[in-house]
Amino acid sequence: MKNAGNTILVTGGGSGIGQALAHRWHDAGNHVIITGRRQQVLNETIAGRERMAAYVLDVTAANEVEAFVQQVVAEHPQLNILVNNAGIFSPEKVTSRRDIASAERMIETNILGPIRMTNAFIDHLSAQADAAIINVSSGLAFVPYPASPTYSATKAAIHSFTAAIRPLLKGKVEVIEIVPPQVQTELSPGQSADPNSMPLDAFADEVMTLLHAANTPAEVCVERVRYFREAEAKGQFDEALQMLVRYS
Ligand SMILES: NC(=O)c1ccc[n+]([C@@H]2O[C@H](COP(=O)([O-])OP(=O)(O)OC[C@H]3O[C@@H](n4cnc5c(N)ncnc54)[C@H](OP(=O)(O)O)[C@@H]3O)[C@@H](O)[C@H]2O)c1
């Protein structure tokens, strides 16, 4: 991807990974638009930064996404990069009958959200120079976390969707996947202080280094996630799964 001079829209840009990447992209000389459901965190994220803009958008609101995209493209016609980062995580206990509302919300947000956003932006992006779609999956796309099978399945699905559209868009829209390990954010309560999670700044810095390489890799994998990304290919899938079972 081009390092500077882009107009980048980051969903879920008001906190965590989305916010850290949005600030780094802005610092690198890009226009950055962030979206999310909470106006206040969006306002705090863009405070004091020219070339940043914020819009409230719930990616699960199917009937609002199309109108939003028309508005944002009219107001930012140079927009050339979509970052599907918004996501949610809920723990699940699947071994007895339960209310699956939270599982349905994860599917709506983590899978239908990016599919919907990609669809709404694809004609615009295809007509832009240096266009890219960047999808945020997870190491759990490659070795599922038994404490949240649905979350893991949504991330495996976003990996699959990303891999499937890459060859179709080749030459028109660069398709990149960011594969985070467990990172210190509030994706789940208390995780931002968890010493077993990767510090957010270190993660965002390593991601930017990989994105700014001469040839941006199709999958942006920091060192810390490589064990999970490569587990199956290296014959370590069962070992990795058992490790996650112990944390479940
Ligand atoms: N942290 C990790 O360990 C980790 C590991 C692997 C992958 N990831 C992925 O990284 C991405 C970012 O997560 P994070 O760790 O940075 O957690 P986070 O701080 O909770 O960020 C998630 C963002 O998504 C937004 N969001 C959630 N539901 C939304 C909706 N329906 N519509 C629009 N925006 C929505 C949230 O903003 P609002 O609440 O204001 O809407 C929030 O800003 C997610 O896709 C997550 O699955 C994280």
Side-chain angles (χ1 to χ4, degrees):
M1 69 178 282
K2 199 171 68 169
N3 294 346
N6 301 292
T7 300
I8 305 174
L9 185 143
V10 185
T11 68
S15 66
I17 290 171
Q19 183 188 60
L21 294 179
H23 281 163
R24 279 159 180 75
W25 273 315
H26 182 252
D27 292 342
N30 299 288
H31 282 77
V32 182
I33 301 157
I34 56 169
T35 68
R37 293 167 301 178
R38 291 167 293 163
Q39 181 85 64
Q40 193 183 335
V41 297
L42 296 172
N43 289 346
E44 288 164 7
T45 300
I46 67 167
R49 289 177 177 261
E50 285 179 22
R51 292 182 289 102
M52 278 193 85
Y55 295 81
V56 170
L57 175 70
D58 182 339
V59 296
T60 68
N63 51 352
E64 289 169 23
V65 167
E66 286 288 337
F68 164 78
V69 170
Q70 282 179 24
Q71 180 194 350
V72 82
V73 161
E75 291 175 9
H76 303 274
Q78 315 293 334
L79 196 159
N80 65 318
I81 299 184
L82 166 65
V83 184
N84 285 307
N85 164 77
I88 55 172
F89 171 91
S90 308
E92 299 176 277
K93 293 204 185 311
V94 299
T95 51
S96 56
R97 190 177 163 82
R98 67 204 162 108
D99 179 352
I100 60 164
S102 69
E104 290 174 351
R105 273 195 297 279
M106 285 191 279
I107 292 167
E108 271 278 324
T109 309
N110 300 358
I111 289 293
L112 284 176
I115 292 172
R116 212 174 259 139
M117 292 293 284
T118 300
N119 186 52
F121 273 111
I122 194 63
D123 292 340
H124 172 80
L125 290 176
S126 298
Q128 301 302 307
D130 304 309
I133 295 172
I134 302 178
N135 290 336
V136 177
S137 66
S138 168
L140 301 179
F142 303 95
V143 182
Y145 187 28
S148 190
T150 304
Y151 177 83
S152 306
T154 66
K155 293 301 181 177
I158 204 67
H159 165 70
S160 177
F161 182 80
T162 307
I165 66 172
R166 184 176 294 121
L168 302 175
L169 292 170
K170 193 171 165 51
K172 281 207 282 191
V173 181
E174 188 175 0
V175 178
I176 298 165
E177 178 178 350
I178 296 178
V179 187
Q182 196 174 318
V183 176
Q184 287 177 342
T185 71
E186 282 300 302
L187 183 66
S188 63
Q191 191 177 319
S192 58
D194 174 6
N196 292 319
S197 298
M198 184 172 185
L200 178 58
D201 281 338
F203 170 72
D205 288 344
E206 196 174 336
V207 167
M208 293 310 286
T209 301
L210 293 166
L211 285 172
H212 287 177
N215 288 315
T216 306
E219 289 181 13
V220 172
C221 294
V222 299
E223 277 308 310
R224 202 145 159 172
V225 84
R226 289 203 161 275
Y227 172 73
F228 288 108
R229 175 64 186 94
E230 295 163 2
E232 184 140 35
K234 289 188 170 171
Q236 295 168 331
F237 180 87
D238 289 341
E239 171 194 283
L241 181 61
Q242 285 311 313
M243 190 173 84
L244 291 177
V245 167
R246 286 196 289 278
Y247 285 105
S248 298

